[in-house]
Structures are given as C-alpha cells and as structure tokens.
C-alpha cells in the first residue's frame, strides 16, 4: 500500500443563469474558487481543465491527487463554500487509486507522469466484462501483451490507469496525456480490433479536457479573464 495515491476527477457544470450575474459578482465567485484550488495545490497535486467546446454537459474539470482521502474531502468542502459552486452542479465525479499494473513490465508511476502537463487529458471510466476475471492469469497476460504493444507504437501518448474496485462505481479511471487528439483517435481505433477490446463492458462517457491554469479555465466559463489579486 506504500506510495499509493487517491485520484479524484471532478467535473463541474455551471448554471447558465450564473453568466447573467453582474460581472463583479462573477469575478468574486471565480476568485473564491481559485483560492480554494491554490490552497490545496500548495501541498498536493492539482490540475484544472476546460471542457468548454468539447462537452455540453460539463464546463470544467478539477483533477486532484493525495496519499489519503482527508485532504481531498477537505478541499471539496472548501470548494462547495465558494460562490461559483452555489451556481454549479457536479454531473460526473470519479474516485480511484494508483497501484502497480500486473500486466506491464515497465515501471508504473504511482503519481502523475511528467506528461501530465500535456495540452489535452482524455479521461473515461471503464468496466471489464465479468468473463475477463474468469480467465486464467496467464491468459489475461497474453491478451494484454497485444494491447500494450499497440499502445507502445504511440510514443507521444502516455496512459495513466487508476483503480476504483470497491471505491466507486467504475472499475478503472483511464486518462491519457496527449498533445494531438488525432493521434489518440488513431490509437483507440486500432485498439478496437484487439482481443482485449472484446472483454470491455463500457468505457463511456469520454471527456476531452483542455489543460488550463485555474485562471484560464475559470475565464472560459464566461469569457472574462480572471485577474487574481496580489496577496
């Protein structure tokens, strides 16, 4: 259990009525939200992403990581106190944990890869069919080798697999760091023809997230840049 981390993906949808509020009120709401993110990021991993233009049912994603659930819980309590969250819903929320892969012979990071600052993060929850777990371990290993070999062809894409067994509804949360969405499209299309794909129960919804600073992600909500006051 040493060095594992909890990973939380929080997808936020802002009520359209919020955009009709006074500009100063919206700025204050965004400043409160940014302050909560800043406080958490001082000691833990936090990244924000804009989904404006890529999804219709969410506008913003906050990705957090910590060695225990306590700081993640406390962060979301603080986040819920901000003015912005009084005008927002959380249509999707995924909790998972990092752990070593049993299939890959490469070192598996238990924290975000260096590529976590790529331009895009593509995220989806995933379930395997129960038949997958009835296969002998060596048979699962054989099938996964073919899957992994295809992934290695796409050297500009890094995969981050987190595990949710018993922690949340899904079994995995899979996220990919990519600078070119077209390469990811080609990767997924090729993987559809693999034997491992036949054992996939579900891997939707899929979120194409645009990496952005907290200020830029918040600014995309209403088209107004956020000027964070100096401390």
């Amino acid at each position: 259990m040493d060095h594992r981390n909890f990973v939380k993906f929080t997808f936020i949808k802002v009520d359209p009525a919020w955009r009709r509020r006074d500009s100063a009120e919206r700025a204050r709401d965004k400043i409160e939200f940014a302050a909560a993110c800043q406080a958490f990021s001082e000691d833990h991993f936090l990244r924000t992403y804009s989904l404006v233009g890529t999804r219709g049912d969410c506008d913003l994603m906050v990705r957090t990581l910590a060695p225990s659930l306590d700081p993640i819980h406390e962060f979301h309590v603080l986040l819920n106190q901000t003015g912005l969250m009084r005008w927002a819903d959380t249509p999707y929320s995924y909790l998972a944990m990092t752990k070593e892969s049993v299939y890959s012979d490469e070192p598996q990071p238990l924290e975000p890869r260096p590529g976590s600052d790529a331009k895009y993060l593509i995220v989806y929850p995933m379930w395997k069919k129960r038949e997958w777990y009835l296969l002998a371990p060596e048979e699962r290993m054989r099938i996964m080798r073919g899957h992994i070999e295809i992934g290695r062809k796409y050297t500009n894409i890094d995969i981050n697999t987190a595990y949710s067994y018993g922690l949340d509804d899904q079994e995995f949360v899979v996220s990919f760091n990519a600078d070119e969405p077209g390469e990811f499209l080609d990767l997924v299309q090729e993987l559809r023809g693999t034997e491992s794909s036949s054992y996939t129960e579900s891997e939707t919804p899929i979120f194409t997230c645009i990496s952005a600073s907290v200020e830029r992600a918040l600014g995309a909500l209403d088209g107004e840049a956020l000027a964070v006051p100096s401390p």
Side-chain angles (χ1 to χ4, degrees), residues 174-206:
V174 189
S175 58
F176 297 83
N177 307 313
D179 285 314
E180 175 46 63
E183 291 183 6
F184 183 72
L185 183 152
D186 293 341
L187 167 61
V188 173
Q189 183 177 7
E190 189 169 354
L191 288 173
R192 287 291 188 266
T194 63
E195 187 177 358
S196 65
S197 181
S198 66
Y199 288 97
T200 298
E201 181 71 34
S202 176
E203 50 187 6
T204 59
I206 297 176

Side-chain angles (χ1 to χ4, degrees), residues 143-155:
I143 293 170
M144 285 302 298
R145 283 198 192 100
H147 181 96
I148 292 170
E149 284 306 310
I150 289 177
R152 285 175 175 166
K153 292 164 54 178
Y154 294 81
T155 57

Side-chain angles (χ1 to χ4, degrees), residues 63-191:
R63 177 189 181 200
T64 51
L65 184 143
S68 74
L69 277 175
D70 290 344
I72 293 175
H73 166 71
E74 292 164 3
F75 166 65
H76 283 82
V77 170
L78 184 59
L79 208 61
N80 285 339
Q81 297 174 27
T82 66
L84 182 64
M85 291 306 294
R86 296 189 183 99
W87 294 84
D89 294 320
T90 306
Y92 304 99
S93 174
Y94 304 113
L95 177 66
M97 179 178 274
T98 60
K99 67 189 295 288
E100 294 282 356
S101 170
V102 299
Y103 301 115
S104 177
D105 55 3
E106 296 179 348
Q108 297 296 304
L110 299 182
E111 55 190 24
R113 296 175 182 268
S116 291
D117 292 320
K119 186 172 182 180
Y120 299 96
L121 183 74
I122 300 172
V123 181
Y124 56 83
M126 183 179 178
W127 292 259
K128 300 290 281 186
K129 293 180 179 178
R130 288 301 175 94
E131 291 85 350
W132 172 254
Y133 299 101
L134 297 178
L135 296 175
E138 58 271 17
E139 179 66 1
R140 292 202 301 267
M141 184 71 75
R142 180 192 67 79
I143 293 170
M144 285 302 298
R145 283 198 192 100
H147 181 96
I148 292 170
E149 284 306 310
I150 289 177
R152 285 175 175 166
K153 292 164 54 178
Y154 294 81
T155 57
N156 293 325
I157 297 174
D158 287 325
I159 182 173
N160 305 278
T161 301
Y163 301 78
S164 298
Y165 295 110
L167 301 179
D168 206 340
D169 293 348
Q170 68 282 340
E171 294 177 350
F172 312 90
V173 181
V174 189
S175 58
F176 297 83
N177 307 313
D179 285 314
E180 175 46 63
E183 291 183 6
F184 183 72
L185 183 152
D186 293 341
L187 167 61
V188 173
Q189 183 177 7
E190 189 169 354
L191 288 173

